[in-house]
Amino acid sequence: MEIIRIPRVMQDTASGHTLRGKTIGFVPTMGSLHEGHLSLVRRAKMENDVTVVSIFVNPVQFGPGEDFEKYPRDIEGDTGKLLKEEVDVLFMPDRSVMYSKGFLTRVEVEEISERLCGVFRPGHFKGVATVLTKLFHIVKPVRAYFGQKDFQQTVVVRRMVKDLNMDIDIVVCPTIRERDGLAMSSRNTYLDRGQREASGVIYRSLKQASELIISGIINVHDIEKILMGKILQEPAVSCIDYAGIFNPDTLEEVSEIRDDVLLAAAVQIGDTRLIDNILVKVKKER
Ligand code: PAF
């Protein structure tokens, strides 16, 4: 596995592969890799000639008071995992080469960035869109891989790629879960044992709500009440940022269920903010 730290070197390596007619599959990450990331790597390896993984904890997507400083970092462990997966290139730039002195540019996807997590993390998706634009220009992928756990991120990235005519396929892969249903996330390492046990409530509640919808209960108010009620029954939950039913394309709240919907929640357990979602396919009446 080649380890590259300098954007110019990564660009030249990527151009070399492209000129030889090779396709590049790209998995952007912030490291502290778990099975969720590795599932993206395996898919990228299956579908492309060359697989590039980036590890970069992107400062501009963290707000003041968020966990940028304490975000888990495990370069040695991550490198070992990527070597085992036989990844071709690990791109691992420093902050100083990604955001050199005088950096002034931001990429913003309006409206959809301001909903759901955007309400509670203003500027977060602007930071994500900005770093991904840079990474896409540096790595030159044909396909880039993201997990469904970060559903809003996938909607924002797809819109950005479409609006800015970036010639990249955005591939969204299923959320990988722990045995009790908790979506895998690097932030799960913040949870102590009790909080970790409690956190299974998020997926259980979303699952129950999705089953109600599938069974034909389509009153949004009733379902949201059950969803919120079940999450709040768990004493370790300190706050619900949101838990509800949304249009999966626009991320607006829906007032009635007539088409596929997104059940999504962002919940604080202690100081840790966890997100999860389920996409519910609604049978259309003929
Ligand atoms: O999902 C993440 O880990 C990050 O938001 C990403 C896509 C690597 C951009 O920094």
Side-chain angles (χ1 to χ4, degrees):
M1 181 172 74
E2 196 178 350
I3 298 182
I4 300 180
R5 294 177 182 277
I6 309 296
R8 184 72 257 171
V9 177
M10 182 68 243
Q11 271 170 323
D12 290 345
T13 303
S15 298
H17 288 305
T18 309
L19 281 173
R20 272 181 269 116
K22 303 227 185 273
T23 58
I24 298 176
F26 178 41
V27 183
T29 82
M30 298 207 297
S32 190
L33 303 178
H34 50 68
E35 273 303 309
H37 297 113
L38 300 182
S39 71
L40 306 181
V41 169
R42 288 171 198 141
R43 175 89 180 259
K45 277 194 65 86
M46 261 173 12
E47 296 178 350
N48 303 278
D49 300 317
V50 175
T51 299
V52 178
V53 175
S54 67
I55 297 182
F56 179 61
V57 185
N58 174 36
V60 304
Q61 70 186 73
F62 290 80
E66 288 190 353
D67 57 344
F68 173 69
E69 297 299 339
K70 77 162 189 179
Y71 195 84
R73 290 158 171 92
D74 177 18
I75 291 308
E76 213 177 299
D78 289 348
T79 311
K81 286 174 191 164
L82 296 176
L83 273 171
K84 209 164 148 214
E85 296 297 330
E86 300 183 5
V87 163
D88 300 290
V89 181
L90 167 57
F91 177 53
M92 214 165 33
D94 277 344
R95 179 184 184 151
S96 60
V97 293
M98 287 296 276
Y99 298 110
S100 50
K101 207 162 164 267
F103 188 92
L104 289 176
T105 306
R106 291 285 185 276
V107 179
E108 183 165 14
V109 180
E110 294 175 351
E111 296 181 19
I112 48 178
S113 293
E114 283 136 38
R115 302 187 177 129
L116 297 173
C117 287
V119 175
F120 303 89
R121 304 188 69 191
H124 168 67
F125 290 107
K126 203 197 290 190
V128 171
T130 302
V131 80
L132 286 176
T133 301
K134 286 173 69 66
L135 289 168
F136 288 168
H137 282 116
I138 296 168
V139 175
K140 305 178 196 281
V142 167
R143 297 179 192 89
Y145 294 81
F146 295 85
Q148 193 197 306
K149 196 211 88 187
D150 298 304
F151 192 92
Q152 185 170 12
Q153 174 166 277
T154 68
V155 175
V156 169
V157 178
R158 278 204 163 123
R159 169 55 60 177
M160 174 184 86
V161 162
K162 181 166 190 285
D163 288 356
L164 298 183
N165 304 83
M166 297 179 180
D167 202 2
I168 303 172
D169 245 3
I170 300 303
V171 183
V172 178
C173 303
T175 303
I176 305 297
R177 300 184 178 281
E178 304 285 356
R179 287 167 79 96
D180 65 348
L182 176 67
M184 288 198 187
S185 160
S186 306
R187 289 192 168 96
N188 293 353
T189 55
Y190 298 154
L191 302 168
D192 67 26
R193 187 196 284 247
Q195 292 170 337
R196 170 62 194 84
E197 273 169 27
S199 58
V201 74
I202 305 170
Y203 180 65
R204 280 200 303 280
S205 310
L206 290 168
K207 190 93 183 69
Q208 185 187 7
S210 76
E211 280 158 4
L212 290 174
I213 297 174
I214 290 162
S215 76
I217 299 175
I218 52 162
N219 184 307
V220 169
H221 181 70
D222 289 351
I223 296 165
E224 286 185 340
K225 217 166 119 193
I226 294 168
L227 176 62
M228 291 266 198
K230 194 164 162 108
I231 297 174
L232 283 173
Q233 261 171 22
E234 172 48 65
V237 169
S238 43
C239 163
I240 300 182
D241 281 354
Y242 60 82
I245 309 177
F246 304 90
N247 177 313
D249 300 319
T250 65
L251 304 180
E252 286 169 305
E253 278 192 64
V254 299
S255 53
E256 50 184 7
I257 301 176
R258 281 194 295 175
D259 224 321
D260 297 350
V261 287
L262 177 75
L263 283 167
V267 173
Q268 300 264 359
I269 301 219
D271 289 339
T272 306
R273 185 175 188 278
L274 300 173
I275 57 171
D276 200 355
N277 67 80
I278 294 181
L279 196 55
V280 188
K281 301 265 172 211
V282 175
K283 270 204 215 112
K284 316 261 179 333
E285 295 203 357
R286 296 207 284 148

